[in-house]
Amino acid sequence: RTEFALKEIMSSGGAEDDIPQAERKTVTDFCYLLDKSKQLFNGLRDLPQYGQKQWQSYFGRTFDVYTKLWKFQQQHRQVLDNRYGLKRWQIGEIASKIGQLYYHYYLRTSETSYLNEAFSFYSAIRQRSYYSQVNKEDRPELVVKKLRYYARFIVVCLLLNKMDVVKDLVKELSDEIEDYTHRFNTEDQVEWNLVLQEVAAFIEADPVMVLNDDNTIVITSNRLSETGAPLLEQGMIVGQLALADALIIGNCNNQVKFSELTIDMFRMLQALEREPMNLASQMNKPGMQESTEKPARRENPHKYLLYKPTFSQLYTFLAASFKELPANSVLLIYLSATGVFPSGRSDSEGPYDFGGVLTNSNRDIINGDAIHKRNQAYKEMHCLHPGDLYPFTRKPLFIIVDSSNSVAYKNFTNLFGQPLVCLLSPTAYPKALQDQSQRGSLFTLFLNNPLMAFLFVSGLSSMRRGLWEKCQDYLRKINRDIAQLLTHSRSIDQSFLQFFGDEFLRLLLTRFVFCSATMRMHKIFRETRNYPESYPQLPRDETVENPHLQKHILELASILDVRNVFLENTLDDY
């Protein structure tokens, strides 16, 4: 390919003999690097998606070649312009590939700093208008490259909560799509318009707006910050387990999504990440560590994001995570999925008799929330049953189920005596509460952004920044008190405390208790199915129905002037 390209280029650039040897070498080297980079980049698709070791050296080589290519075209731009005919969109393509590499490196490592690097390359493409000339060329495939670049850039901006940039990009993408469909009568017009609709719905998924004094929207981040998780008191006896791996699974019908992220998955992945640092302070290039070096302690647990997986895909990733889980570590499984209910009565009450949550059948034949099978003698096949997770309870397991059939997982049995906790969403919400399920589950919102969820159930849809920050401070105090309630409880199951040493899990547990206590005090949450549950059960009087905590919740409601939404009589004996 390179030789052919060279002959073409050299002949178009004048007589071959006229070209100085040094310039010819520059073009040859550039073509070699370009070919090599494409070859390595395409090879990334063939790497296994699971397992954390096999891909690192390959990624390292790919990064290396792209770094050389990027520097090479910067140093020799004039020669490449004159002799190779290098176009600006081709430079944009290289930058876009580097952006993609950083984004995929983030997906593989869960290290949020790589998102900043992807953002800087994607931003450069836009600022330097690398793709601006594409529209003048009569090549629809080039325009599609530009549209895909926009879609990828939007995903990175969403993950970095750069909502103002997202809005600008959506407007630009909309104009580009209009121009593209006007110029080329293509069949993918509907698909691109769907991309626009999806991202518009994604941006508007938050039920509450926080406003500055000039009515601009405040962007709030829900990643773990320095002050995020309640600190452990001196002498608090908790386990030393660390969250090392998480599977985040999204399989809800009709939930807002963009790319392959549902809004629930998007919220949960941020609850398992720290605020990004800038990579400039870190010396190593991605994947460039020598195998002899010990990698620095990973700041964030590793994650797999699985959108609508089949049972076999889910089980494969689960087994890979289980196999690679280090000693003294926890595996978290988050399931946001449509409920699958058992049909017919079963005489036994085993781990396959209560249904579970939906796995993808590869056929979109499923409508509605309850899936009933035809033959009542058999169990539901496209379903993750509680029993399916039993083999993995040989290691510490922390499960979160957000589903209309979450209670199926209440019938767990701890077979191996390892730490095991399941946090289970309500199976139904009060009719009086405006249905928000398309815009994400209320339970997951409580685990990701408890104040926003509290405002939503209190009937508030916007709030001034000053009041928001005051409430956030008060909520931190509530979290500290919940942490004390859990660690001082005499009858709490030890599993909860064994997970309590990990910051991420500690925050999830305290938010779970806050969510449960709020719903139990709320006037319209009156049925037991409106409340979250857990396995093992928490001692209610010491946690979710503790009068001290109830008093705090009423205080928070008073700050917001929504005390009338909550029951007061739960405090009669306080």
Side-chain angles (χ1 to χ4, degrees):
R1 260 187 313 174
T2 307
E3 275 177 38
F4 175 72
L6 271 173
K7 281 181 184 157
E8 287 281 293
I9 291 153
M10 298 302 187
S11 57
S12 63
E16 234 176 284
D17 299 341
D18 298 348
I19 296 173
Q21 190 63 37
E23 293 188 8
R24 185 175 309 194
K25 185 174 181 341
T26 299
V27 174
T28 312
D29 290 352
F30 177 75
C31 287
Y32 169 76
L33 283 171
L34 191 62
D35 267 2
K36 188 76 183 154
S37 67
K38 285 177 180 171
Q39 200 181 332
L40 285 166
F41 192 90
N42 292 337
L44 292 173
R45 295 188 194 118
D46 303 327
L47 292 177
Q49 290 173 292
Y50 48 85
Q52 291 173 40
K53 298 291 172 276
Q54 307 93 317
W55 56 272
Q56 262 173 326
S57 59
Y58 192 93
F59 252 86
R61 291 209 310 280
T62 312
F63 259 108
D64 222 11
V65 170
Y66 270 97
T67 306
K68 282 179 189 161
L69 180 64
W70 185 250
K71 285 180 179 162
F72 194 88
Q73 64 80 24
Q74 283 177 319
Q75 287 160 355
H76 304 283
R77 180 75 57 83
Q78 202 164 1
V79 174
L80 292 171
D81 279 352
N82 297 339
R83 300 298 186 195
Y84 177 83
L86 185 66
K87 294 187 165 65
R88 286 188 70 71
W89 66 261
Q90 289 172 304
I91 302 167
E93 269 297 276
I94 298 168
S96 180
K97 289 277 202 300
I98 295 171
Q100 282 178 67
L101 275 176
Y102 275 117
Y103 172 64
H104 282 287
Y105 208 78
Y106 155 73
L107 289 180
R108 294 263 183 180
T109 62
S110 301
E111 177 45 72
T112 32
S113 310
Y114 295 123
L115 284 173
N116 283 331
E117 298 300 308
F119 177 80
S120 63
F121 272 90
Y122 284 150
S123 284
I125 293 170
R126 184 164 165 249
Q127 283 159 2
R128 297 172 194 173
S129 308
Y130 282 139
Y131 279 126
S132 60
Q133 299 301 306
V134 158
N135 295 18
K136 293 181 180 170
E137 308 219 10
D138 197 24
R139 292 171 62 188
E141 74 278 9
L142 283 187
V143 183
V144 169
K145 281 179 192 277
K146 184 178 186 177
L147 300 182
R148 284 187 177 148
Y149 149 72
Y150 269 107
R152 290 183 182 115
F153 193 6
I154 287 169
V155 171
V156 167
C157 291
L158 285 172
L159 287 164
L160 286 169
N161 293 308
K162 293 183 186 287
M163 292 304 173
D164 43 350
V165 185
V166 171
K167 285 172 184 168
D168 291 344
L169 292 174
V170 168
K171 193 177 176 316
E172 288 171 30
L173 178 58
S174 177
D175 294 344
E176 292 289 347
I177 290 169
E178 200 172 318
D179 179 65
Y180 168 64
T181 50
H182 183 68
R183 284 176 58 217
F184 307 101
N185 191 11
T186 59
E187 291 174 10
D188 55 359
Q189 179 178 356
V190 176
E191 287 165 44
W192 281 111
N193 284 329
L194 186 63
V195 167
L196 282 176
Q197 285 164 25
E198 282 184 351
V199 72
F202 209 91
I203 297 168
E204 287 162 16
D206 282 354
V208 179
M209 283 188 297
V210 185
L211 300 171
N212 285 309
D213 293 338
D214 61 356
N215 281 347
T216 53
I217 295 174
V218 178
I219 307 304
T220 57
S221 171
N222 300 304
R223 288 189 169 92
L224 183 63
S225 61
E226 295 301 314
T227 56
L231 294 169
L232 294 171
E233 294 173 73
Q234 205 101 38
M236 223 182 233
I237 308 298
V238 294
Q240 298 303 306
L241 297 169
L243 177 60
D245 221 331
L247 264 78
I248 296 179
I249 294 147
N251 199 1
C252 281
N253 295 329
N254 311 323
Q255 195 178 86
V256 167
K257 64 165 264 290
F258 184 61
S259 187
E260 292 215 322
L261 277 179
T262 65
I263 193 76
D264 276 358
M265 293 169 73
F266 177 74
R267 285 174 177 155
M268 185 47 64
L269 79 85
Q270 298 206 29
L272 300 179
E273 291 181 347
R274 295 174 195 280
E275 280 297 340
M277 297 182 310
N278 214 326
L279 256 196
S281 60
Q282 296 172 4
M283 291 303 289
N284 277 326
K285 252 197 305 187
M288 301 317 293
Q289 267 168 352
E290 293 299 316
S291 53
T292 52
E293 286 180 44
K294 283 227 167 78
R297 185 179 74 82
R298 183 187 280 124
E299 283 292 320
N300 293 327
H302 172 264
K303 297 184 297 295
Y304 289 119
L305 306 174
L306 301 180
Y307 173 67
K308 296 204 166 181
T310 60
F311 176 80
S312 57
Q313 284 168 331
L314 197 160
Y315 229 56
T316 305
F317 280 87
L318 194 48
S321 283
F322 180 82
K323 176 174 175 275
E324 295 195 344
L325 198 69
N328 301 319
S329 296
V330 182
L331 172 59
L332 181 146
I333 302 170
Y334 168 78
L335 297 162
S336 156
T338 300
V340 179
F341 298 88
S343 42
R345 285 239 164 266
S346 171
D347 297 337
S348 60
E349 291 202 342
Y352 287 89
D353 294 318
F354 296 96
V357 300
L358 184 68
T359 54
N360 208 359
S361 63
N362 281 337
R363 292 191 302 280
D364 290 333
I365 50 167
I366 293 140
N367 296 309
D369 209 35
I371 318 302
H372 296 294
K373 62 183 192 327
R374 292 195 187 117
N375 189 330
Q376 301 201 351
Y378 299 117
K379 302 298 174 200
E380 300 70 21
M381 196 189 301
H382 300 295
C383 169
L384 187 75
H385 297 264
D388 292 325
L389 297 180
Y390 277 21
F392 305 103
T393 60
R394 287 175 169 83
K395 292 182 182 180
L397 201 58
F398 193 99
I399 301 167
I400 301 171
V401 186
D402 196 337
S403 172
S404 54
N405 191 23
S406 59
V407 288
Y409 292 79
K410 203 169 67 169
N411 306 288
F412 236 85
T413 311
N414 189 339
L415 297 174
F416 303 103
Q418 290 291 316
L420 172 66
V421 161
C422 305
L423 305 183
L424 312 170
S425 71
T427 55
Y429 293 101
K431 291 268 191 293
L433 199 70
Q434 177 194 349
D435 180 31
Q436 279 278 329
S437 55
Q438 259 194 308
R439 291 162 75 173
S441 154
L442 179 59
F443 179 66
T444 292
L445 186 61
F446 261 105
L447 296 181
N448 158 265
N449 189 340
L451 182 54
M452 186 173 281
F454 188 85
L455 296 174
F456 172 66
V457 297
S458 303
L460 299 171
S461 59
S462 67
M463 157 143 308
R464 292 280 155 208
R465 181 181 200 144
L467 187 54
W468 170 269
E469 285 168 358
K470 183 181 176 184
C471 292
Q472 284 287 29
D473 283 343
Y474 195 75
L475 195 55
R476 275 191 275 277
K477 174 178 165 25
I478 294 177
N479 263 338
R480 284 197 297 274
D481 286 358
I482 292 172
Q484 284 187 3
L485 290 177
L486 292 171
T487 51
H488 293 181
S489 163
R490 300 191 171 214
S491 50
I492 193 168
D493 188 284
Q494 286 303 299
S495 277
F496 290 102
L497 299 181
Q498 283 168 301
F499 290 128
F500 217 66
D502 181 89
E503 278 184 289
F504 292 105
L505 300 180
R506 185 157 72 247
L507 199 53
L508 288 172
L509 285 167
T510 53
R511 286 173 175 176
F512 173 80
V513 172
F514 174 72
C515 167
S516 196
T518 299
M519 289 174 176
R520 285 167 187 279
M521 289 182 71
H522 200 291
K523 284 179 179 171
I524 64 169
F525 285 74
R526 297 289 20 105
E527 298 176 54
T528 48
R529 64 194 191 129
N530 298 158
Y531 306 140
E533 301 209 40
S534 67
Y535 169 88
Q537 281 194 330
L538 282 165
R540 275 193 215 161
D541 54 333
E542 293 182 278
T543 58
V544 297
E545 289 179 359
N546 176 282
H548 182 64
L549 174 55
Q550 291 176 334
K551 189 161 176 269
H552 278 331
I553 287 172
L554 286 179
E555 277 299 310
L556 181 59
S558 296
I559 297 172
L560 293 163
D561 202 16
V562 291
R563 195 159 171 150
N564 60 320
V565 173
F566 297 93
L567 297 167
E568 302 263 352
N569 60 2
T570 49
L571 291 176
D572 288 347
D573 34 62
Y574 181 66

